[in-house]
Amino acid sequence: MSEYYAAIEAGGTKFNCALMNSNREIIELTRIATTTPQETISQVLAFYRPLQALYKIKSLGLASFGPMDLNANSGNYGGIAKTPKPSWSYTPLSQKLNAELGLPVFFDTDVNGAILAEYLWGKAQNSKVAVYVTIGTGVGGGIIVNGHILNGLHHPEMGHMLLPTKEDNNGHCPFHGNCLEGLAAGPSIQKTWQEKAENLADDHPAWQQQVDHIAAFCHNLIVTLGPEKIILGGGVLQKPGLLEKIAPQCEEKLNQYLTLPQTLDEIIVAPSLGDKSGLYGALALAMGHGSHQINC
Amino acid sequence: MSEYYAAIEAGGTKFNCALMNSNREIIELTRIATTTPQETISQVLAFYRPLQALYKIKSLGLASFGPMDLNANSGNYGGIAKTPKPSWSYTPLSQKLNAELGLPVFFDTDVNGAILAEYLWGKAQNSKVAVYVTIGTGVGGGIIVNGHILNGLHHPEMGHMLLPTKEDNNGHCPFHGNCLEGLAAGPSIQKTWQEKAENLADDHPAWQQQVDHIAAFCHNLIVTLGPEKIILGGGVLQKPGLLEKIAPQCEEKLNQYLTLPQTLDEIIVAPSLGDKSGLYGALALAMGHGSHQINC
C-alpha cells in the first residue's frame, strides 16, 4: 500500500502544493501565487484539508525559499528568517502548517531539498559530496555530504562567494558587489548590460563573462569540497550552450593542478529531475531524509 | 591500562615520530629529517622497531603532507600522490609502514588530522562544521562535518580558492595566480614585496593585503559551509596582530548579510593544540577516528 505525503515547494512567486506517494507519483497538484503569508498559507490549508479526509497523509515536506531559520534553538525554527521579501520576514511557515494540519512537518530550503532529491533519485546518487546550484533571479545552493544535507551555522549561501573578475567592481549584489549572485544572476546581467539576459545575442560578450564567473565558482567548490557532482540549474542556465562551456573553462582555471578520477564535464552537469526537483525535494524531506522537523 | 599508538606527523622538512598513549601522552619522540623516501622511511622503521619489542603498539596513525592518494580504488591508496617534492611522487608511504611494521595504518593528510584533533580535543568540539587552515610556505586545509573528515574526489585543496584582489594579477601560484596560496603564502609575500615576510615592518602595506585576502577566503568558507570554527594556523599567522584583524575585515565583507548566532571573532580563531596539532592528528587517526586505513 502506498503511503501519502504532502509536498510543498514554496517559491518566491508560487507555492507548488502536491499530494504524492512514495513512488514519487503526483496524486493531486495545485499552484498558489505567493502573495501575503496569511493569504498564501490559508490557500495551502484549503488545498490540503479536503485531501486529509480522503487520504491518510503521513507527513508534510516543505522545501522553501530562503532564508529559513534552521537553528533548532531558535523560537522561529522552521520559519522564514529576515528577508527583503515584503511581509515574509519571520513568518512561522512550518510551525503554522504543523499546527493547522496536525502533520509532522519536515522542512529545509528548496535547494537543500533539490540536492537531497538528486542524491536519492538523480545524478548525485552514490556521491560522497555533491552540490546543487540554481542561478536565476538569485543564486542558491545546497550541499550533501555522505547522504546528509550540510548545515552549519546557517544553510549554505554560496551564491555570495566573492569571485575575481576582470572588470573593476562591476557586480551588483547590494551586500557584496562581486559575488556570484552580483555577477551572474539574471538581474545582475541586466544591470551590467542594460538588457534582459534573454535578449542578449549568442555572441554577446556577456556570455563569456557568465562562463568565466560560473567556472571560477565551480573551481572554488572543487578545490574546497571535491564534489563528484556540481549540478547547475536555474533560469540563467537555460541559455542554450552555456552549461557546456563551463567545464572547459573550469578545466583551464584548474590548470591540471588536481588529478581527478572523472572529467569536469562529468562533474559539472544539468539537473536530472528538471522542474520536478522542488517537489521531489519536498517529498524527500517528507519521507524523513532531511534533518529538520517539527512534530505535532 | 593504557593503549599505545605510533603517531607520525610527516612533514615536508621533518617527520615527527612518536609513541603515544590514549591519554595523548608522548612516551617516546624523535625528529627525522625528510630526505629521500628510502632514507626517511628506514629511519622511521629504525625508531619504531625497538619500541615494538617494549610496547604492544595497537596501530599507526600517519598525518602526512599532501597530496595523498585517498582513493580506496587506487593502487597507491595511502601513498603520496604526484608532488613537486623531489623523489616523493607516488611513494607508497602508508603501504610500506604497514608492510614493514605489521601494524594497521590509519592515514590522512596533516591538515585533515589537525581538524580531527581540534574536533576531538580542541576548539572545534561540538561543531557541526569546522575548518582548519594552515598558511605557511603553502596553504592547506581540512574540513570536518558531523564528526567526519570531509573527503570527496580528493582531499580539500582550499588554498587554491581563487580570490578577488585589488591589484591586477599579482598572485604567484604557478597554477592559479590569484588563489589564496598565490596571494598569501610565505613565498608569495616574498615574491610580491621582494622581502621575506618576517622582515616586513608592522605598518607595511603587505599586511593589510594579507588581512584582505585571508578575510575574503574566510568569507567564502562562511557563506559556503557555515562553519562554527575556522581555525587559522601556520607560520604566516604567527605575525603578531594579524589574526585579530581578520574577523573585523571579514565582517565588513559579509556586510550584515547573514545573521549568525556567534561573532566572527568566535568563529575565526587560532589553533588550540599549538605545535602538537600534527601529532595529535596522527594519534586521532591511529585511534580510529579517521576514515582511511590499510590493515595487515
Side-chain angles (χ1 to χ4, degrees):
Chain A
M1 207 187 97
S2 260
E3 293 193 308
Y4 296 97
Y5 300 93
I8 302 178
E9 177 189 13
T13 55
K14 64 179 189 308
F15 275 45
N16 286 325
C17 299
L19 178 74
M20 298 177 78
N21 65 23
S22 46
N23 298 323
R24 282 183 285 149
E25 290 161 338
I26 295 172
I27 317 295
E28 296 279 349
L29 177 68
T30 193
R31 286 194 172 80
I32 293 166
T34 309
T35 57
T36 64
Q38 197 180 359
E39 192 176 48
T40 311
I41 293 170
S42 74
Q43 287 188 55
V44 171
L45 298 175
F47 170 71
Y48 282 113
R49 278 187 175 131
L51 292 174
Q52 284 187 290
L54 299 170
Y55 299 89
K56 187 168 162 31
I57 302 178
K58 198 171 173 190
S59 59
L60 185 152
L62 170 70
S64 175
F65 66 88
M68 285 197 90
D69 190 327
L70 300 180
N71 174 4
N73 299 319
S74 158
N76 187 31
Y77 183 52
I80 302 295
K82 188 181 166 196
T83 168
K85 194 168 170 54
S87 80
W88 280 85
S89 285
Y90 308 113
T91 297
L93 185 54
S94 306
Q95 305 93 308
K96 194 91 180 158
L97 295 168
N98 171 251
E100 294 288 336
L101 295 173
L103 293 172
V105 173
F106 296 83
F107 55 90
D108 214 316
T109 62
D110 44 8
V111 281
N112 275 346
I115 187 60
L116 183 60
E118 289 281 354
Y119 176 79
L120 292 171
W121 303 307
K123 284 192 184 161
Q125 284 177 69
N126 303 315
S127 290
K128 286 186 289 184
V129 181
V131 186
Y132 179 95
V133 184
T134 173
I135 307 177
T137 51
V139 176
I143 302 171
I144 199 152
V145 177
N146 298 325
H148 299 283
I149 294 168
L150 183 142
N151 276 312
L153 282 181
H154 51 83
H155 51 74
E157 290 281 357
M158 64 182 85
H160 294 279
M161 182 191 285
L162 301 171
L163 293 174
T165 175
K166 283 176 188 137
E167 299 67 37
D168 198 32
N169 195 31
N170 70 346
H172 298 284
C173 173
F175 294 93
H176 310 114
N178 289 343
C179 61
L180 181 65
E181 185 164 305
L183 292 164
S188 302
I189 305 176
Q190 189 173 348
K191 278 187 190 150
T192 301
W193 304 100
Q194 301 292 313
E195 182 65 79
K196 283 191 174 178
E198 57 261 43
N199 298 336
L200 294 170
D202 289 355
D203 60 353
H204 193 284
W207 296 116
Q208 185 48 43
Q209 281 197 26
Q210 281 296 101
V211 170
D212 196 53
H213 294 137
I214 300 170
F217 172 75
C218 291
H219 174 282
N220 285 354
L221 290 178
I222 289 171
V223 296
T224 306
L225 299 168
E228 281 102 324
K229 296 290 172 200
I230 298 175
I231 299 171
L232 294 180
V236 167
L237 270 298
Q238 301 312 307
K239 173 72 184 174
L242 180 61
L243 178 67
E244 292 73 11
K245 292 187 181 134
I246 293 168
Q249 183 78 23
C250 186
E251 186 122 42
E252 205 172 286
K253 287 181 192 297
L254 278 169
N255 200 12
Q256 303 190 291
Y257 178 70
L258 294 171
T259 310
L260 297 171
Q262 54 193 74
T263 62
L264 284 182
D265 58 5
E266 291 168 330
I267 294 174
I268 301 170
V269 295
S272 48
L273 304 174
D275 59 4
K276 297 242 171 55
S277 81
L279 277 183
Y280 282 4
L283 176 66
L285 294 169
M287 292 170 72
H289 295 288
S291 54
H292 296 289
Q293 58 174 300
I294 302 176
N295 287 314
C296 304
Chain B
M1 205 185 99
S2 260
E3 294 193 307
Y4 296 98
Y5 300 92
I8 302 178
E9 176 189 12
T13 55
K14 64 180 190 307
F15 274 46
N16 286 325
C17 299
L19 178 74
M20 298 177 78
N21 65 22
S22 47
N23 298 324
R24 283 183 284 151
E25 289 161 340
I26 295 172
I27 316 296
E28 297 280 349
L29 176 69
T30 193
R31 286 194 171 79
I32 293 165
T34 308
T35 56
T36 64
Q38 198 181 358
E39 192 177 48
T40 311
I41 293 170
S42 74
Q43 287 189 53
V44 172
L45 298 175
F47 170 70
Y48 282 112
R49 277 185 176 133
L51 293 174
Q52 284 187 290
L54 299 171
Y55 299 89
K56 185 168 161 33
I57 302 178
K58 199 171 172 191
S59 58
L60 185 151
L62 170 69
S64 175
F65 68 87
M68 285 197 91
D69 190 328
L70 299 179
N71 174 4
N73 299 318
S74 157
N76 187 30
Y77 183 52
I80 303 295
K82 188 181 165 193
T83 167
K85 194 167 171 54
S87 81
W88 281 85
S89 286
Y90 308 113
T91 297
L93 185 54
S94 306
Q95 304 95 306
K96 193 91 179 158
L97 295 168
N98 171 250
E100 294 288 337
L101 295 173
L103 293 172
V105 174
F106 296 82
F107 55 89
D108 215 317
T109 62
D110 44 9
V111 281
N112 276 346
I115 187 60
L116 183 61
E118 289 282 354
Y119 176 78
L120 291 170
W121 303 307
K123 285 193 183 160
Q125 283 176 72
N126 304 314
S127 290
K128 286 186 289 184
V129 180
V131 185
Y132 179 94
V133 185
T134 173
I135 306 177
T137 52
V139 177
I143 302 171
I144 200 152
V145 178
N146 298 324
H148 299 283
I149 294 168
L150 184 141
N151 276 311
L153 282 181
H154 50 83
H155 50 73
E157 289 282 357
M158 64 181 85
H160 293 279
M161 183 191 286
L162 301 171
L163 293 174
T165 175
K166 282 176 190 139
E167 299 67 37
D168 199 32
N169 195 31
N170 69 346
H172 298 284
C173 173
F175 294 94
H176 310 115
N178 288 343
C179 62
L180 181 65
E181 187 165 304
L183 292 163
S188 301
I189 305 176
Q190 189 172 349
K191 278 187 189 151
T192 301
W193 304 101
Q194 300 293 314
E195 184 63 80
K196 282 192 174 178
E198 55 263 42
N199 297 337
L200 294 170
D202 289 356
D203 60 354
H204 193 286
W207 296 116
Q208 185 49 43
Q209 281 196 27
Q210 280 298 100
V211 170
D212 197 54
H213 294 136
I214 300 170
F217 172 76
C218 290
H219 174 282
N220 285 354
L221 290 178
I222 290 170
V223 296
T224 305
L225 298 168
E228 281 102 324
K229 296 290 172 201
I230 298 175
I231 299 171
L232 294 180
V236 167
L237 271 297
Q238 301 311 307
K239 173 74 185 173
L242 181 61
L243 179 67
E244 293 72 13
K245 292 187 181 133
I246 293 168
Q249 183 78 22
C250 186
E251 187 122 42
E252 204 170 288
K253 288 181 193 294
L254 277 169
N255 200 11
Q256 303 191 293
Y257 179 70
L258 293 171
T259 309
L260 297 171
Q262 54 193 75
T263 62
L264 283 182
D265 57 7
E266 292 169 328
I267 295 174
I268 300 169
V269 295
S272 47
L273 304 175
D275 59 4
K276 297 243 171 54
S277 81
L279 277 183
Y280 283 3
L283 176 66
L285 294 171
M287 292 170 72
H289 295 288
S291 53
H292 296 289
Q293 59 174 300
I294 302 175
N295 287 314
C296 306

